[in-house]
Amino acid sequence: MCGIVGILGTKPVALDLVDALRRLEYRGYDSAGIATIEGGLLQRRRAEGKLRNLSDRLSTEPLAGLVGIGHTRWATHGKPTERNAHPHMTEKVSVVHNGIIENFRELKEELTRAGAVFASDTDTEVVAHLITHEMKKGADPIAATKAALARLKGAFALAIIFAGHDNLMIGAREGSPLAIGHGDGEMFLGSDAIALAPFTSQITYLDEGDWVVLTRGSLDIRDRQGRRVDRPMITSQASGFLVDKGNHRHFMLKEIHEQPEVISHTLTNYIDMSEGRVNFPDIGLELAKITRVTISACGTAYYAGLVAKYWIEKYARVPVEIDVASELRYREAPLPEGGLAVFVSQSGETADTLATLRYCKANGQRIASVVNVRTSTIARESHAVLPTLAGPEIGVASTKAFTCQLSTLACLALALARAKGQISDDKERELVRALTEVPRHISSLLRDERRYEELAHYLSKARDVLYLGRGISYPIALEGALKLKEISYIHAEGYAAGELKHGPIALIDENVPVVVVAPEDELFDKTVSNMQEVHARGGQIILVSNVEPDATGCSVVAHLRMPAVHPFVVPLIYAIPMQLMAYHTATFMGTDVDQPRNLAKSVTVE
Ligand code: F6R
């Protein structure tokens, strides 16, 4: 992961570099650093931890210089210490890097034998030494970088500056995103257009294998073979204003509260409200002919895909193959001729999802992606883009992006069901009506958060929490457990309620809270049987249901009372208590809710 930025400016760049890094902190926040050229010499400032530590360092030890690079890190190789923070440098070259250099060990050994002295445990530092090695042999910065790039294996986006050259910056992209920003007599590099938004909206994305030589007045893009290439300049819509928290204590809470509005926006994109019918865009495939759908994603986005499997199979009667992207890409899964493959991703940059997309594309699939960032790599490499209109999601734990993914996938399921002749017009209207009522139900759930605050005291004492659900509530149980563990650090696992007796029931005792997701649907009685198994063993039940606990024959420690809703939209509504339980428990425990430890918002490494 990591975020990188570079500026060839006309005034001192240090503070602008930090400003751009603030917009990239979603990509990692283990450490941060910048390097500039002062009086021909490379200088840097780095700090462990969040970006504010780097800002503090710069206020006491400022950096001058009109050219510079910056980095915010999500550690892959080496601990998140200052010594491992980027930029990495020699006396000649300074480098920031997003990605992984897979052959760094061989290169490091070779360079060490040639006399290089390494100062960090990172893979990145070999890039600085490799370029320096070429320069010491007599190559100029451009030739040296070209030679070094040819030897790197792995995934990387790089920004590089050179001592004594304050009108030169080189960028390279192989597997990790990199955008060029065109300013007025200035040039920029950044991991995305959002980082560059305060400076310019004129953006050129590099293709895989491209590298670029920038001066203040020129750019020269080469492809992997070294041929000069033109890449289009586009006008980015990324906003120059940093999204703020408004009146909310955390971005996550703000984003939870935005859900009624952003779900409405997303639904309006796929539904003809006056007709009460789905109005789905042409994805370049005849939906009626689709015989199987392949879905792939990671984490929360994967759980959205899992819900879609239940919807598509039930309503459209089309079989769905689904797997986490990190598995599907290596399984050598056979794919149907001309099949539809759907990828779900908030960021649109997740490395595993992107690699799986490419595998499916190479195997003749039509690619549709459900993404929140329309300019992302996954969007650009898809045949059809199904945008979620969630707006920027800053909290690392996904909330509004998840429910917008569900909204989009629900419409895809209905479009398929209609094309396949599996639902009548009346049924379609009934299901569309249920979808359009979702924002109202969520608004009313969000009006009373007190019960979650009370529950937080209880949950914060737990060491383990189990989540159970059946049918379409199973992915919601998985998502609930993921939300709780990632922001509160309490161990939590989701299980299909029917699987409990095949092993996990051994974990149940009077210290283990068990969250039972039990909407009143056709599986309710079966879920209640599993709940009774928990109750009989002293498990402490938190019931999330529209049915009163009395009707279950179990005593519960808490009942999160839900509205009675159409079974079709249960996942959208029941996602909300999962989010609120996790959020309030984590804030009660005092963890860093928006930037939990070890995580990053955009996961661009395998
Ligand atoms: C959890 C979470 C992650 C992401 C996953 C995929 O709250 O946010 O599990 O869902 O890393 O990210 P995207 O959707 O950007 O592909």
Side-chain angles (χ1 to χ4, degrees):
M1 257 102 62
C2 309
I4 67 172
V5 63
I7 304 180
L8 267 170
T10 49
K11 57 182 179 10
V13 293
L15 296 182
D16 283 345
L17 287 169
V18 173
D19 191 20
L21 290 178
R22 195 162 289 124
R23 300 159 163 278
L24 289 171
E25 237 189 335
Y26 71 90
R27 303 176 72 90
Y29 36 79
D30 289 335
S31 64
I34 64 169
T36 63
I37 301 172
E38 271 185 2
L41 298 177
L42 290 165
Q43 301 289 351
R44 73 179 162 187
R45 301 284 181 270
R46 301 180 294 171
E48 198 174 313
K50 300 274 174 67
L51 192 58
R52 60 175 171 268
N53 299 348
L54 177 67
S55 294
D56 291 348
R57 168 81 48 99
L58 283 165
S59 56
T60 50
E61 299 168 57
L63 269 188
L66 307 184
V67 54
I69 52 179
H71 187 270
T72 178
R73 178 167 189 243
W74 185 79
T76 58
H77 295 64
K79 293 204 169 94
T81 54
E82 181 172 333
R83 155 191 156 81
N84 288 328
H86 298 218
H88 290 287
M89 57 194 245
T90 64
E91 72 288 359
K92 290 183 182 299
V93 178
S94 185
V95 179
V96 287
H97 165 220
N98 165 32
I100 290 177
I101 309 293
E102 287 170 5
N103 58 338
F104 86 99
R105 274 188 201 83
E106 298 98 275
L107 292 172
K108 191 168 177 175
E109 276 166 24
E110 178 188 322
L111 290 160
T112 306
R113 278 198 301 275
V117 178
F118 282 78
S120 78
D121 311 315
T122 64
D123 52 341
T124 307
E125 199 183 348
V126 295
V127 182
H129 283 289
L130 200 53
I131 298 172
T132 304
H133 184 67
E134 295 296 330
M135 288 175 76
K136 282 186 177 160
K137 288 196 293 187
D140 65 24
I142 299 170
T145 305
K146 183 178 176 199
L149 289 175
R151 299 210 49 206
L152 300 180
K153 293 205 177 91
F156 49 82
L158 297 165
I160 311 163
I161 54 174
F162 303 86
H165 296 265
D166 84 349
N167 189 19
L168 176 66
M169 179 161 66
I170 298 183
R173 174 194 172 146
E174 182 72 68
S176 300
L178 191 62
I180 301 166
H182 306 258
D184 189 7
E186 299 183 308
M187 282 291 191
F188 305 87
L189 286 172
S191 292
D192 64 25
I194 301 169
L196 305 183
F199 318 117
T200 178
S201 59
Q202 301 304 299
I203 299 293
T204 299
Y205 288 100
L206 292 181
D207 274 3
E208 295 296 2
D210 284 355
W211 59 290
V212 61
V213 177
L214 297 172
T215 67
R216 285 184 184 81
S218 70
L219 94 172
D220 179 6
I221 306 179
R222 308 284 176 130
D223 67 9
R224 201 179 274 117
Q225 282 71 39
R227 291 178 297 234
R228 273 213 167 85
V229 283
D230 276 333
R231 304 291 179 214
M233 183 160 80
I234 58 153
T235 303
S236 154
Q237 303 301 322
S239 160
F241 296 102
L242 250 190
V243 190
D244 70 27
K245 291 192 266 241
N247 293 329
H248 296 282
R249 195 167 149 204
H250 295 103
F251 279 111
M252 183 177 175
L253 188 61
K254 173 175 178 258
E255 288 156 6
I256 289 173
H257 280 264
E258 281 172 353
Q259 289 177 109
E261 193 185 350
V262 295
I263 291 172
S264 279
H265 282 164
T266 304
L267 288 174
T268 318
N269 206 37
Y270 299 107
I271 286 176
D272 178 340
M273 292 293 177
S274 55
E275 291 290 313
R277 310 212 35 198
V278 168
N279 184 12
F280 212 70
D282 180 7
I283 58 168
L285 259 192
E286 215 180 309
L287 296 184
K289 296 215 172 113
I290 291 173
T291 53
R292 202 184 83 175
V293 178
T294 305
I295 304 181
S296 197
C298 304
T300 289
Y302 168 73
Y303 297 145
L306 202 51
V307 170
K309 174 182 169 74
Y310 283 83
W311 277 332
I312 294 172
E313 293 189 338
K314 176 177 167 116
Y315 293 105
R317 310 298 304 149
V318 175
V320 175
E321 153 89 2
I322 175 157
D323 204 349
V324 289
S326 53
E327 288 300 317
L328 184 60
R329 74 176 283 201
Y330 292 115
R331 257 176 45 209
E332 297 180 27
L335 298 164
E337 188 70 30
L340 172 65
V342 178
F343 296 88
V344 188
S345 176
Q346 187 286 127
S347 62
E349 299 294 350
T350 302
D352 287 316
T353 310
L354 180 60
T356 311
L357 179 158
R358 288 176 181 157
Y359 170 80
C360 290
K361 205 171 183 183
N363 282 277
Q365 303 303 290
R366 186 88 194 158
I367 309 294
S369 60
V370 177
V371 289
N372 201 36
V373 182
R374 282 198 223 197
T375 49
S376 60
T377 313
I378 287 179
R380 282 184 279 123
E381 295 199 14
S382 299
H383 298 119
V385 178
L386 304 173
T388 51
L389 306 185
E393 192 181 61
I394 308 294
V396 163
S398 189
T399 53
K400 62 175 182 168
F402 177 63
T403 46
C404 286
Q405 287 159 355
L406 290 179
S407 306
T408 306
L409 291 164
C411 294
L412 170 65
L414 292 188
L416 265 172
R418 182 169 73 194
K420 288 272 177 190
Q422 292 292 340
I423 51 169
S424 64
D425 289 356
D426 282 351
K427 186 74 182 170
E428 184 182 342
R429 286 201 181 88
E430 173 195 319
L431 298 173
V432 165
R433 195 175 330 110
L435 279 175
T436 55
E437 286 169 0
V438 165
R440 175 172 59 79
H441 286 303
I442 295 183
S443 293
S444 64
L445 279 173
L446 292 173
R447 275 200 282 275
D448 183 13
E449 286 182 53
R450 259 170 318 157
R451 54 194 176 150
Y452 295 94
E453 288 163 16
E454 286 151 22
L455 194 55
H457 294 233
Y458 169 71
L459 280 175
S460 66
K461 297 192 192 80
R463 208 190 58 184
D464 309 285
V465 181
L466 303 187
Y467 286 70
L468 304 181
R470 265 185 185 264
I472 208 154
S473 298
Y474 167 46
I476 298 305
L478 293 170
E479 169 62 2
L482 176 60
K483 279 295 85 95
L484 185 70
K485 75 180 113 181
E486 70 179 329
I487 59 170
S488 73
Y489 318 143
I490 296 172
H491 173 241
E493 295 301 334
Y495 292 104
E499 270 294 292
L500 191 70
K501 55 190 172 295
H502 299 290
I505 200 162
L507 297 170
I508 307 276
D509 66 21
E510 57 287 353
N511 298 317
V512 179
V514 181
V515 178
V516 183
V517 185
E520 191 178 19
D521 58 13
E522 71 277 15
L523 296 175
F524 178 72
D525 292 339
K526 305 245 176 257
T527 310
V528 167
S529 303
N530 303 129
M531 196 171 141
Q532 280 162 348
E533 291 155 14
V534 172
H535 187 238
R537 286 157 182 85
Q540 305 292 297
I541 295 165
I542 297 169
L543 177 65
V544 189
S545 179
N546 58 311
V547 178
E548 291 299 312
D550 288 354
T552 66
C554 302
S555 54
V556 301
V557 291
H559 176 209
L560 298 174
R561 192 168 286 111
M562 301 298 288
V565 295
H566 194 294
F568 180 50
V569 297
V570 154
L572 281 146
I573 309 293
Y574 279 65
I576 308 304
M578 303 298 119
Q579 299 168 353
L580 290 173
M581 243 186 301
Y583 172 77
H584 286 288
T585 306
T587 44
F588 179 74
M589 295 172 77
T591 57
D592 189 343
V593 170
D594 283 333
Q595 295 184 329
R597 69 185 182 200
N598 305 339
L599 295 175
K601 188 69 186 156
S602 174
V603 186
T604 55
V605 292
E606 261 190 71

